[in-house]
Amino acid sequence: MNANPTATGRSLTPEQARSEAALHDAVHGLFEREPLSSAAVAFVPWQKWTGLTALAGLVLALVLATTPTLIALTAVSTFVYLITLADRLLLLARGLARDSILHVEDERALAVPDSELPTYTVLVPAYNEPEVIGDLIDAVSSIDYPADKLEVLLLLEADDDVTIDAAEAAGLGEVCEILRIPPADPRTKPKACNYALHYATGEIITIFDAEDRPDPLQLRRVAVAFAELDDDVVCVQAKLAFHNGSQNMLTAWFTADYALWFNFLLPGLMKSSSPIPLGGTSNHIRADVLTEIGAWDPYNVTEDADLGVRIAARGHRTAVLDSTTLEEANPDPINWIRQRSRWYKGYLQTWLVHMRRPVMLWRTLGTVSMFRFTTLLAGTPVIACLNMVFWLVTLSWILGQPAAVEEVFPAYVYFPALICLVLGNSTILYSNFIACRETGNSALWWACLTVPLYWVLMSVAAIKGTYQLFANPSYWEKTVHGLAS
């Protein structure tokens, strides 16, 4: 076997050289090719100085004109709440239409001859998750797709001995290929997927988490969808739901949350041609386009949402498919906050990255889509943080009616804020009821009634994620799986 010398004088076999090149590209590729598209740097200089200038101006205004400044901030926040609420209702209305989501019936999915199906690569990243290996074997075995056209790569960090040992002991190598990822920072899912792309052979790439239970016909449905859709559709996102939604109060809230997001809001976004923040799993992407747009950002902790925006920013589209992958809803509040805070931080990362060239993005997306991109990715975590502030203000008014609160809410601010409080919260509660009813989760009505308690957890997670954006932007907080009872 031939050996290649490295810069350090070591001799590498061709396979070792390939692995080192793949690892370098997985970690540094996007940043080296398109530095402005990478979250390796959280804030570019102009963003940093703009933010600091705005903060200094706000502090100065609060010192020189405290009450008028607080009134202005409250008025702006109320306006943002109102327009965001109105747009979410519009998306919900569009998502309720039957034609808002792609349907590929079983008969059509099974009618395609095996010889006409595209080759497929399924990436399954896992880290320190020996407890879900058994589930993975069942999930992979249940996929209905010709074996000679299906490649399943289990992505494990090379030093994750506990998961590697569990996979080998379970005989997982018989149903998929175990690909060992050389240890390197950042220890993130997108880095592992980028590495795997150098070994993937499929025309379509998808990701399943190790604990996922995908619809057995999902790959066939996606193949039919791609064959029928326009060429500018390069990604198909399947729906995500939970198999343990009734385990406890938290999983019930989480199930209602997902039911609304994947069944109505994402289809509403698809129908309006707005960017779709992808879910972390079951997104199916044409391999050639994935390579063209730079694959995943290893420094973005919601690489899925970032990829969805990057797809739209390149003039491509994403479709939402009526095929469900079942996941495990997080039943532990601390574990859930770790997961959700990472999502919120990643949403802010993604917004900051794509706003480095705002004019270019606006020209590609258009005004309405640019607005939705901002309200979804920046607005979602920011509003969740503001909720805590306004809840505390409301509580202080209920307990003591301090004069300072009365001064900040003159009539022209108070009544729109009251509309937000009463009409806005009622509308969101009703949306959750609709989502649960239409997805067969009517038994979770009690979770819809008590969802304001869930919003408190969301606010805590948003505050934590926002803090981490500044303190440790690319840190990936690991979510513990295998807690479902």
Side-chain angles (χ1 to χ4, degrees), residues 132-217:
V132 299
I133 291 301
D135 295 335
L136 178 57
I137 293 176
D138 294 338
V140 171
S141 301
S142 71
I143 295 176
D144 187 332
Y145 210 78
D148 62 330
K149 293 199 169 185
L150 177 62
E151 174 185 57
V152 182
L153 300 179
L154 174 59
L155 315 182
L156 301 178
E157 295 281 338
D159 57 358
D160 184 10
D161 295 331
V162 62
T163 309
I164 292 174
D165 291 344
E168 291 178 342
L172 197 55
E174 297 176 8
V175 296
C176 67
E177 178 183 347
I178 300 176
L179 186 62
R180 291 169 170 79
I181 314 297
D185 289 330
R187 295 294 188 106
T188 61
K189 173 180 171 181
K191 182 210 66 178
C193 291
N194 283 345
Y195 181 88
L197 276 185
H198 291 264
Y199 298 85
T201 59
E203 298 168 70
I204 303 174
I205 307 289
T206 191
I207 299 176
F208 291 129
D209 286 338
E211 77 279 5
D212 284 356
R213 302 178 188 176
D215 163 20
L217 290 177

Side-chain angles (χ1 to χ4, degrees), residues 294-337:
W296 296 276
D297 183 354
Y299 292 95
N300 191 312
V301 296
T302 51
E303 79 297 336
D304 40 14
D306 170 65
L307 187 63
V309 177
R310 202 148 14 105
I311 286 171
R314 297 296 183 92
H316 303 303
R317 291 194 296 131
T318 295
V320 182
L321 178 69
D322 187 17
S323 174
T324 302
T325 295
L326 294 177
E327 296 188 318
E328 176 193 336
N330 213 317
D332 178 74
I334 301 301
N335 198 35
W336 183 93
I337 287 175

Side-chain angles (χ1 to χ4, degrees), residues 45-61:
W46 77 262
Q47 289 177 322
K48 186 182 300 183
W49 288 112
T50 299
L52 290 174
T53 301
L55 180 61
L58 177 60
V59 171
L60 183 62

Side-chain angles (χ1 to χ4, degrees), residues 18 127 132 147 157 237 258 274-275 346 419 428 470:
R18 180 188 184 190
Y127 182 63
V132 299
E157 295 281 338
Q237 172 69 63
Y258 259 40
S274 297
I419 292 173
I428 297 173
F470 298 92

Side-chain angles (χ1 to χ4, degrees), residues 451-472:
V451 76
L453 297 174
Y454 183 59
W455 299 341
V456 175
L457 289 177
M458 294 172 75
S459 186
V460 172
I463 293 169
K464 179 172 179 281
T466 303
Y467 165 76
Q468 281 196 343
L469 177 68
F470 298 92
N472 202 353

